[in-house]
Amino acid sequence: MGIEKVESTYFQHKGKDFFAFPYKKGKDKGESYYDENGKALKSMFLKAPLDFFRISSRFSARRFHPVQGRWKAHNGTDYAAPHGTPIKTTAAGVVERTGYTAGNGNYVKVRHNSTYSTQYLHMSKILVKKGQYVSQGQIIGKVGSTGLATGPHVCYRFWKNGVQVDPFRQNLPNAEPMEEGERKKYLEYIKPYKKELDSILKVKFNQ
């Protein structure tokens, strides 16, 4: 549409007003959208670590392992995709571990906060290092079939309070809230944009 940069946004849905302002905070590499009170408008987690995929195996307490040939728990979700497909971290955090094991192949584990961690297995290539901060959606590796794998895919594992769980069954939070100091800076930053939107809306609804 020829719009290079969005400074502020307003829309109405089911009679409710919504404001959104792009803002870059802390270590984030790019801008995210927040409302007029500093609340994040996106989920803390992406729905999947790949843009294009096919779910080939879901989280299950009992699954027949195609390589080991026996029934066992599958504590992850398998996303099949072509070899070399970029793998993205589903939430911002710090790379807790990278490496290789006979079962997991090349893998990366990211700690998002004191509650949540995620792990990405069977990579053909690892693109991050231990201790590195990663933003949501950042490419951390490439799809492969290293370790116990019959074809190229990423096994996505999700931890909550140290226990592996099915992410599809979780009521996942919005993005991490702003710290109070950051929130004060944000509210000051959006003040002129919010004032401008309010003046436009006042004229519109008084017509």
Side-chain angles (χ1 to χ4, degrees), residues 63-73 102-103 148-150:
R63 180 194 74 153
F64 187 78
H65 197 285
V67 177
Q68 295 179 324
R70 61 188 177 92
W71 293 94
K72 59 183 293 189
L148 290 179
T150 56

Side-chain angles (χ1 to χ4, degrees), residues 22-84:
Y23 182 75
K24 180 180 178 296
K25 69 177 181 69
K27 296 178 180 178
D28 292 352
K29 290 190 174 182
E31 294 177 331
S32 295
Y33 281 87
Y34 301 85
D35 70 9
E36 69 275 23
N37 299 310
K39 181 182 178 182
L41 294 175
K42 68 176 181 179
S43 173
M44 181 178 175
F45 290 91
L46 299 176
K47 292 187 179 296
L50 305 177
D51 286 333
F52 304 99
F53 58 85
R54 173 179 60 84
I55 295 179
S56 54
S57 183
R58 291 186 176 272
F59 187 99
S60 173
R62 182 173 165 79
R63 180 194 74 153
F64 187 78
H65 197 285
V67 177
Q68 295 179 324
R70 61 188 177 92
W71 293 94
K72 59 183 293 189
H74 183 236
N75 295 323
T77 304
D78 288 349
Y79 293 89
H83 189 279

Side-chain angles (χ1 to χ4, degrees), residues 8-207:
S8 57
T9 305
Y10 163 83
F11 65 96
Q12 194 176 74
H13 179 63
K14 294 185 178 179
K16 184 177 180 181
D17 294 333
F18 289 89
F19 293 89
F21 304 89
Y23 182 75
K24 180 180 178 296
K25 69 177 181 69
K27 296 178 180 178
D28 292 352
K29 290 190 174 182
E31 294 177 331
S32 295
Y33 281 87
Y34 301 85
D35 70 9
E36 69 275 23
N37 299 310
K39 181 182 178 182
L41 294 175
K42 68 176 181 179
S43 173
M44 181 178 175
F45 290 91
L46 299 176
K47 292 187 179 296
L50 305 177
D51 286 333
F52 304 99
F53 58 85
R54 173 179 60 84
I55 295 179
S56 54
S57 183
R58 291 186 176 272
F59 187 99
S60 173
R62 182 173 165 79
R63 180 194 74 153
F64 187 78
H65 197 285
V67 177
Q68 295 179 324
R70 61 188 177 92
W71 293 94
K72 59 183 293 189
H74 183 236
N75 295 323
T77 304
D78 288 349
Y79 293 89
H83 189 279
T85 300
I87 299 170
K88 305 184 297 184
T89 180
T90 53
V94 176
V95 177
E96 186 175 53
R97 202 177 306 153
T98 68
Y100 178 90
T101 66
N104 296 340
N106 295 319
Y107 72 91
V108 171
K109 188 173 184 180
V110 179
R111 174 164 289 279
H112 306 292
N113 56 24
S114 60
T115 303
Y116 298 105
S117 298
T118 54
Q119 190 177 14
Y120 312 79
L121 313 181
H122 310 303
M123 293 179 168
S124 60
K125 191 173 185 180
I126 296 171
L127 299 176
V128 290
K129 296 179 180 179
K130 181 179 178 181
Q132 179 179 339
Y133 175 84
V134 290
S135 57
Q136 185 183 56
Q138 182 173 336
I139 297 172
I140 57 174
K142 300 290 184 71
V143 168
S145 53
T146 56
L148 290 179
T150 56
H153 74 285
V154 56
C155 179
Y156 175 59
R157 301 200 169 191
F158 194 97
W159 273 262
K160 182 178 181 180
N161 295 320
V163 177
Q164 292 187 64
V165 296
D166 184 352
F168 289 103
R169 295 182 177 272
Q170 306 305 305
N171 184 18
L172 298 175
N174 277 358
E176 287 281 280
M178 289 186 185
E179 295 181 0
E180 189 54 33
E182 186 77 59
R183 183 173 174 273
K184 288 180 179 178
K185 286 170 55 180
Y186 168 78
L187 293 177
E188 192 63 29
Y189 170 77
I190 70 168
K191 191 180 291 184
Y193 301 118
K194 179 66 163 59
K195 183 178 179 180
E196 187 176 4
L197 281 179
D198 288 341
S199 66
I200 294 170
L201 295 174
K202 186 177 180 180
V203 171
K204 176 183 176 182
F205 291 119
N206 285 338
Q207 286 180 344

